[in-house]
Amino acid sequence: MPRWARHLAGTGSILVRIGEAWGEILRTGRAVVAHGGCIIRPASHRLGRQQADLSKNSFLLTKWYLDCVAENGDAVILYVADLQWNALTLHYGSLIKVLDGKVASATSLRGSPAPKLDGTILSANQPGLDVEGTWEALRPPIRRAVFQSAHGSVDWHCLQPMSQVELLLRGTIRISGLGYAECLTLNLLPWQLPLTSLHWGRYLSHEDAVVWIDWQGPETKQAVVHNGEEQAATSITESEIVFADNSAQLKLDRGLVLRQGPLGDTVFPGVSRLARLLPRSMLSVQECKWRSRGEFRTATGGSSGWAIHEVVKWRD
C-alpha cells in the first residue's frame, strides 16, 4: 500500500527518533531537541501515567512517497513524513538514490516540509537531503481506504501513478525520467495491521503504468491498476505479475536490491532504546526492495521500462 505497509518500514526510522527522545521526556517532563534540531514536546510539563503510556495512543502518520527512475537506471526515492503520536510531533525526510549502479541513503529531521501540489505539478524541496524537484502528472490519481478497523484506517492516495520528473541533487546532479507519487495516511499503530505479507510495486514505461498491491493476512486484499483501469490478477510475486486469463504479464528481473533484511537491522538502529515502545514482532519483519527492469506483454504488444517494488513479510 504502497508503501501503506512498507511505508511501514519507513515508519520505523521515525519511531527510532521518537524512542531516543521519549526517555528524556519521561525523565524531565521537558521538551527535548532530537538529532537534526527537531524539537519534541510533551503535552504538558507534568506527564501523568496515562500520558506516558503510548499504547493508549493518538497516532497519525502522513507519509509521502515519491520516486523517479531515469532511462539509464539512475533512481531517487524520497520519503517525507509528519508524525503526531500523543504528546510527540516529528517531521522526517529520507532519501534512497542510485547513481551509476551504486545505492546510497540519507535521512534528515531538519524541517522536511511536505510536498506541494499545484494543479498537476507536485513539487518537493528537501534542503536537509540536498534534493529538489517537480513531478508532473501523466495519469489520473487513484484513491481508496485500503484498511479499516475499530483501531483506525489506512488511506492510500496515489496522486500520480505516472509522472514526468525533473530532479536536482546536491545542486549539480540532474535526473530526469518517469516517476510516481503517493501519500499514505495511517491513524493506527503499524503493528495493529493484520498482515502476514505484502507485495507492492509500480512499473512505468512511456506506454504503460502498472501499480499493484497484494495484502495477505486474515483479510486478503489485492489490486492491480493498468493505465487507470482495475485488473484482476491470478499471480503476484516478486518477479512476475500475471493478469487474469493471461491477458497480460509483467516480468521483473530484480536486478538491483535497494534494501534487504529484518527491520531490526535495516530500519531500527539502536533498538534497545525502543524496547518499551515496540513489540518484538516488529523487529523480525523482513523486507526487500528492488529496482527492476520490467517487460510488460499483452496479446497485442508490450513495452519495456523500470519498476520499483518490494516484498514485506511478517513471521507467523
Side-chain angles (χ1 to χ4, degrees):
M1 47 206 129
R3 263 119 242 271
W4 35 276
R6 164 97 220 315
H7 285 334
L8 299 182
T11 303
S13 295
I14 297 170
L15 297 180
V16 169
R17 303 304 183 188
I18 293 174
E20 293 173 348
W22 183 245
E24 182 69 15
I25 290 176
L26 291 178
R27 286 191 297 271
T28 67
R30 298 191 300 269
V32 301
V33 179
H35 174 73
C38 175
I39 298 176
I40 303 179
R41 303 178 186 277
S44 68
H45 292 293
R46 294 183 179 179
L47 294 177
R49 180 178 299 273
Q50 184 173 5
Q51 290 172 304
D53 183 1
L54 295 184
S55 66
K56 295 180 172 65
N57 80 90
S58 174
F59 182 96
L60 178 62
L61 172 66
T62 302
K63 184 174 174 57
W64 292 81
Y65 168 91
L66 305 93
D67 72 28
C68 173
V69 184
E71 288 288 349
N72 68 354
D74 286 350
V76 170
I77 298 173
L78 177 64
Y79 300 93
V80 181
D82 178 87
L83 176 66
Q84 299 176 45
W85 192 4
N86 289 348
L88 309 179
T89 298
L90 190 63
H91 307 285
Y92 175 85
S94 179
L95 181 72
I96 299 174
K97 59 185 176 182
V98 179
L99 298 174
D100 298 324
K102 298 179 180 179
V103 181
S105 61
T107 61
S108 175
L109 291 169
R110 298 183 180 180
S112 300
K116 296 181 180 179
L117 183 63
D118 184 3
T120 61
I121 304 295
L122 187 66
S123 60
N125 185 4
Q126 295 292 311
L129 297 169
D130 283 332
V131 60
E132 60 180 305
T134 59
W135 281 252
E136 182 176 3
L138 300 178
R139 291 286 190 277
I142 306 164
R143 187 168 193 173
R144 66 180 63 182
V146 294
F147 176 76
Q148 290 182 315
S149 75
H151 298 291
S153 64
V154 179
D155 178 74
W156 172 55
H157 188 185
C158 178
L159 292 95
Q160 298 183 359
M162 178 190 282
S163 318
Q164 179 60 45
V165 186
E166 303 293 334
L167 290 173
L168 184 64
L169 298 177
R170 300 200 299 268
T172 59
I173 301 172
R174 295 189 179 275
I175 297 178
S176 176
L178 295 177
Y180 172 98
E182 70 176 33
C183 183
L184 181 80
T185 304
L186 179 75
N187 65 0
L188 76 167
L189 294 168
W191 49 88
Q192 292 177 332
L193 288 166
L195 283 167
T196 57
S197 69
L198 170 72
H199 289 251
W200 172 90
R202 64 52 148 197
Y203 161 83
L204 298 175
S205 70
H206 291 291
E207 300 84 7
D208 298 291
V210 183
V211 182
W212 63 93
I213 303 167
D214 187 21
W215 167 309
Q216 295 294 324
E219 296 182 32
T220 299
K221 297 178 183 289
Q222 188 182 92
V224 179
V225 181
H226 173 227
N227 289 344
E229 298 291 332
E230 190 94 15
Q231 303 289 335
T234 58
S235 176
I236 297 178
T237 71
E238 63 269 21
S239 58
E240 183 181 64
I241 313 297
V242 180
F243 287 23
D245 301 323
N246 290 315
S247 59
Q249 185 178 48
L250 174 62
K251 291 280 192 178
L252 304 165
D253 70 0
R254 292 177 292 167
L256 181 66
V257 173
L258 300 175
R259 186 163 69 183
Q260 182 178 25
L263 298 189
D265 294 339
T266 63
V267 180
F268 293 95
V271 71
S272 61
R273 299 178 181 178
L274 292 174
R276 74 176 73 187
L277 295 176
L278 299 178
R280 291 174 183 251
S281 59
M282 281 293 293
L283 309 180
S284 62
V285 173
Q286 299 282 328
E287 62 161 343
C288 190
K289 185 179 185 67
W290 297 273
R291 184 213 62 188
S292 288
R293 193 65 184 172
E295 298 289 335
F296 184 70
R297 293 291 176 261
T298 69
T300 58
S303 64
S304 297
W306 290 104
I308 302 290
H309 58 115
E310 67 194 0
V311 177
V312 184
K313 294 184 178 180
W314 284 252
R315 291 184 178 178
D316 295 334

